[in-house]
Amino acid sequence: MAGDVLDPATLAAVRAHLDAARRVCVLTGAGMSAESGIPTFRDAATGLWSTFDPAQLASEEGFRADPQRVWDWYAERRAGVRAAQPHAGHLALAAFGRRRPGVLTLVTQNVDDLHQRAGWPETIRLHGDILADRWLEPCPRGLACDPATASAGRPPRCTECGNLVRPAVVWFGETLPERALDAAERAARACDVMLVVGTSGAVWPAAGLAHVARRAGAQVAIVNPDASEIDDQAHWVLRGTAAGVLPRLLDTLGRPPS
Ligand code: BJW
């Protein structure tokens, strides 16, 4: 919120480092989208995992055990993502990136498209795209059919071989998209400042990016209203929300003096 009480010296120090940085890597998590109305995973009262078991809903085993339940859960979340709008924090990040060509690499664990819709289409997505579909199995006939051709159903099926359609997200136990992870690791190693926004730091390898940046000599700043598992990697912690803190951190950086 705009009313976050931040230590002015910390805010000024992070702003100064961001202002001087030749490369900035921003890693976002579910807290980034919370103020757009998309629930986080691990917040005790409102997080998705407070009412759902991750192993049953966000794993291949869970999907195979009850495809309709998992498909319906994703259908509801897809509707929430489509209805959500980027907030001031998403907009501040994208505007900072545009004002500083070549400086920003934005890496997200989020499966929504709010960074892209805020104006940063080159966002690196580590955990996939909730609005896209893919086949559960490789096609047994080696055909490259589009999942959009599947029969209607919950979930839809291939009319030829019965293959199921699933959301194109990364579930527990699945590897992250190689190119995205490589690009994220390169950005973490090369940045002068890493800004980590709205993640519990509980899920790997994404959480490891803060360690990679710190080990490579970057200054690490965290924006989160609560403690995270990677606070020990941070030089600074800004206890506030994404929509409240990011505009205050970024909005005047890189603007010509008025
Ligand atoms: C705000 C806010 C506001 C609130 N403003 N902030 C090494 C060690 C231990 C385990 C592993 C390891 N390496 C791999 C693993 C296993 C596993 C893992 O990490 N497990 C841990 C849980 C222990 N990782 C994997 O399986 C990954 N694959 C992999 O490593 O492959 C190689 C491999 C395979 C097999 C064996 C071994 C290795 C895949 C991880 C996939 C994660 N998928 C999900 C679901 C995506 C699809 C979907 O959406 O349904 O991704 S799980 C979920 O967690 C989602 C998120 O992207 C991810 C991270 O959560 P995030 O973003 O941090 O959200 P929260 O809710 O946890 O936190 C929100 C934060 O926001 C909080 O801190 C709040 O305070 C804050 N907040 N309001 C700012 N307004």
Side-chain angles (χ1 to χ4, degrees), residues 4 6 51 120 190 200:
D4 288 327
L6 302 173
T51 41
W120 200 250
S200 61

Side-chain angles (χ1 to χ4, degrees), residues 46-153:
T46 54
L48 293 168
W49 300 156
S50 63
T51 41
F52 298 107
D53 175 359
Q56 284 179 6
L57 293 168
S59 73
E60 188 179 322
E61 299 74 45
F63 183 72
R64 287 183 188 281
D66 194 343
Q68 184 174 325
R69 177 165 188 249
V70 176
W71 183 260
D72 288 351
W73 186 64
Y74 277 94
E76 203 178 309
R77 289 178 55 207
R78 284 171 164 180
V81 166
R82 288 195 179 98
Q85 295 301 324
H87 59 59
H90 294 103
L91 298 172
L93 276 173
F96 170 74
R98 284 195 301 273
R99 286 196 303 275
R100 295 279 175 91
V103 170
L104 174 67
T105 302
L106 177 48
V107 180
T108 191
Q109 297 168 79
N110 296 344
V111 295
D112 63 53
D113 58 351
L114 294 181
H115 286 306
Q116 291 82 350
R117 280 199 266 140
W120 200 250
E122 49 273 74
T123 303
I124 296 171
R125 307 174 101 154
L126 294 177
H127 292 164
D129 174 359
I130 197 172
L131 298 178
D133 287 328
R134 68 179 177 83
W135 297 110
L136 179 61
E137 310 277 3
C139 175
R141 297 178 203 172
L143 304 174
C145 309
D146 184 338
T149 62
S151 67

